[in-house]
Amino acid sequence: MSRLKIGVLASGRGSNLQALLDACAGGNIPAEVAVVLSDISDAYALQRARQSQVPALHVDPAAWPGREQYEQELVRLLQAHGVELVCLAGYMRLVGRVMLQAFPGRIMNIHPSLLPAFPGLHAQKQALDYGVRFTGCTVHFVDEGMDSGPIILQAVVPVLDGDDEASLAARILEQEHQIYPRAVDLFARGRLLLKGRRVCILE
Ligand code: GRF
């Protein structure tokens, strides 16, 4: 099976990127990370990519007059590396029209809550403050909204009485590292079928 080329966009520490790199390197999923792009020059994600001999580039949004031009540069770089699937992994910007049109149904994101609950920033704190007994994480396709696209996979994580934001985030993160490679694997094998808002997983 030919290997699907992934482009990863990350703004921070890149632990989900690492999970994808490891899954690809281990031969577990028929995919490879072809390029990593970051809007933050010293994002640790860029170092992780370089340690795995993956091209890693900082693209400075401030160097472009607006989001459209910045995204055109992202698209240019992703296409130059043959990217077929874009994975957002802690990428702290909303994706706009230019990226969505260049990669229709081909952009995924991971979010640390059971969407549609607690979209946006500080999802783990939102869950604690609300008092839910269960939260988790979600891999979804990206649309023009904030964490609002069709859901691919979710994992449930219990909220424990002694939890603070850090302990809950750490337990959720373990699950993120499981479901993100699994979602990419399903995509790479052509097993995800989008029907309206619903994502069917083919046998
Ligand atoms: C993760 O919690 C992810 O769900 C959210 O941002 C965080 C990124 O962490 N979108 P990392 O950079 O992958 O370690």
Side-chain angles (χ1 to χ4, degrees):
M1 185 177 259
S2 68
R3 287 159 75 79
L4 180 86
K5 291 197 173 188
I6 311 170
V8 179
L9 268 54
S11 303
R13 73 188 157 184
S15 71
N16 278 288
L17 163 66
Q18 192 67 56
L20 294 172
L21 287 166
D22 292 347
C24 291
N28 295 335
I29 60 179
E32 65 186 280
V33 181
V35 66
V36 174
L37 304 177
S38 181
D39 56 332
I40 305 293
S41 61
D42 60 353
Y44 188 54
L46 291 172
Q47 284 192 46
R48 292 183 191 265
R50 291 180 187 125
Q51 278 159 16
S52 295
Q53 283 78 48
V54 170
L57 299 162
H58 168 227
V59 184
D60 184 1
W64 304 91
R67 183 165 77 174
E68 295 212 344
Q69 293 87 345
Y70 163 65
E71 288 201 348
Q72 276 159 10
E73 176 64 1
L74 294 181
V75 168
R76 188 185 71 75
L77 290 166
L78 292 164
Q79 288 175 343
H81 287 85
V83 165
E84 302 162 277
L85 173 68
V86 179
C87 292
L88 311 185
Y91 179 64
M92 301 302 285
R93 288 173 182 273
L94 267 182
V95 166
R97 190 183 55 81
V98 171
M99 284 274 293
L100 289 165
Q101 283 181 2
F103 294 97
R106 289 178 166 267
I107 307 178
M108 286 184 187
N109 181 43
I110 183 140
H111 182 77
S113 76
L114 291 175
L115 290 171
F118 314 130
L121 293 175
H122 309 296
Q124 304 93 337
K125 181 169 187 307
Q126 291 186 56
L128 275 176
D129 289 350
Y130 196 94
V132 291
R133 293 285 181 200
F134 295 93
T135 181
C137 48
T138 303
V139 180
H140 63 93
F141 284 117
V142 172
D143 64 11
E144 55 290 331
M146 163 92 81
D147 302 319
S148 56
I151 289 168
I152 302 167
L153 291 177
Q154 295 185 301
V156 176
V157 174
V159 180
L160 306 180
D161 285 343
D163 267 335
D164 59 14
E165 194 180 347
S167 64
L168 181 58
R171 277 207 322 288
I172 294 173
L173 199 61
E174 285 176 22
Q175 295 304 312
E176 294 184 36
H177 298 163
Q178 300 295 317
I179 67 170
Y180 212 173
R182 210 176 298 148
V184 170
D185 181 54
L186 290 168
F187 185 96
R189 294 176 193 277
R191 291 184 55 196
L192 297 181
L193 181 66
L194 196 54
K195 284 189 183 169
R197 263 211 67 87
R198 295 188 68 183
V199 177
C200 300
I201 299 178
L202 306 173
E203 283 304 312

